């Protein structure tokens, strides 16, 4: 183990206090599966829904409890864009940057969100309420540009609507 791993300071990841009750809930979920084989992605989805992200400690825990190498877990987490190793805000905001959304002004919506929230793409607000990310395509081209906050989808978003969208969650 490298010194940065021992101190949990590798890359930009910070050390977070991960609640034990969430690990117990993850255990119960894993135990409820008919078999561990073929269920790694399912378990990672559950882990991310519990913890909000998949830090190294959670990946190691999943690897141990699913009887797979940590490198395999990391490979899956880093391959699928749904998974994140960085914490998200309580209300994660994602802006579609697919062709239809981009052509209809998604880049301007992103700029308005950055200004309104005072953060960059990939960051979390200082109060932990919001995070901002861009997605490749959400498959809702008829609603372009699309903004997703948590599970709520906003279509045909303009820069003028950004303030009210944020206010819905403030």
């Amino acid at each position: 183990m490298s010194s940065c791993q021992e101190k949990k300071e590798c890359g930009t990841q910070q050390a977070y206090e991960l609640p034990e009750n969430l690990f117990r809930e993850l255990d119960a979920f894993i135990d409820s599966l008919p078999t561990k084989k073929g269920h790694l992605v399912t378990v990672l989805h559950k882990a991310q829904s519990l913890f909000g992200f998949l830090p190294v400690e959670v990946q190691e825990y999943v690897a141990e409890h699913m009887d797979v190498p940590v490198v395999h877990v990391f490979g899956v987490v880093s391959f699928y864009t749904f998974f994140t190793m960085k914490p998200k805000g309580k209300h994660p905001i994602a802006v579609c940057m697919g062709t239809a959304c981009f052509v209809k002004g998604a880049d301007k919506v992103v700029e308005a969100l950055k200004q309104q929230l005072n953060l960059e793409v990939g960051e979390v607000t200082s109060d932990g309420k919001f995070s901002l990310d861009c997605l490749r395509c959400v498959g809702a081209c008829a609603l372009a540009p699309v903004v997703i906050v948590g599970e709520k989808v906003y279509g045909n978003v303009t820069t003028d609507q950004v303030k009210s969208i944020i206010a819905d969650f403030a």
Side-chain angles (χ1 to χ4, degrees):
M1 181 178 285
S2 71
S3 63
C4 77
Q5 288 172 320
E6 289 172 7
K7 296 177 187 175
K8 298 186 184 346
E9 295 174 350
C10 297
T12 58
Q13 185 173 353
Q14 307 173 62
Y16 290 90
E17 189 67 34
L18 299 171
E20 279 300 315
N21 65 313
L22 297 182
F23 284 106
R24 287 193 298 276
E25 194 173 334
L26 184 58
D27 274 341
F29 179 79
I30 293 169
D31 291 343
S32 76
L33 295 172
T35 178
K36 292 179 184 179
K37 187 174 180 164
H39 287 279
L40 178 58
V41 171
T42 303
V43 170
L44 289 170
H45 276 285
K46 179 64 173 182
Q48 183 163 290
S49 75
L50 290 170
F51 294 95
F53 68 116
L54 297 171
V56 172
E57 297 86 352
V58 172
Q59 291 179 55
E60 290 170 345
Y61 189 87
V62 167
E64 182 180 330
H65 288 78
M66 293 296 290
D67 302 320
V68 296
V70 175
V71 69
H72 183 70
V73 173
F74 176 78
V76 171
V77 170
S78 61
F79 179 79
Y80 291 106
T81 58
F82 173 81
F83 295 124
T84 180
M85 292 181 263
K86 294 168 59 176
K88 300 287 183 186
K90 181 178 178 184
H91 306 290
I93 300 171
V95 180
C96 179
M97 295 299 280
T99 303
C101 288
F102 188 82
V103 167
K104 289 195 168 190
D107 57 329
K108 293 172 183 64
V109 172
V110 169
E111 288 304 315
L113 284 162
K114 287 167 49 176
Q115 184 177 7
Q116 184 70 35
L117 295 169
N118 193 30
L119 80 164
E120 294 296 318
V121 172
E123 293 182 347
V124 179
T125 55
S126 59
D127 61 5
K129 279 189 177 181
F130 297 98
S131 55
L132 179 61
D133 287 298
C134 293
L135 303 174
R136 291 185 193 122
C137 181
V138 297
C141 301
L143 300 175
V146 174
V147 173
I148 302 170
V149 183
E151 294 183 13
K152 187 167 182 179
V153 178
Y154 295 86
N156 303 302
V157 177
T158 65
T159 56
D160 294 338
Q161 294 171 303
V162 165
K163 200 171 194 173
S164 66
I165 290 172
I166 293 169
D168 287 348
F169 299 91

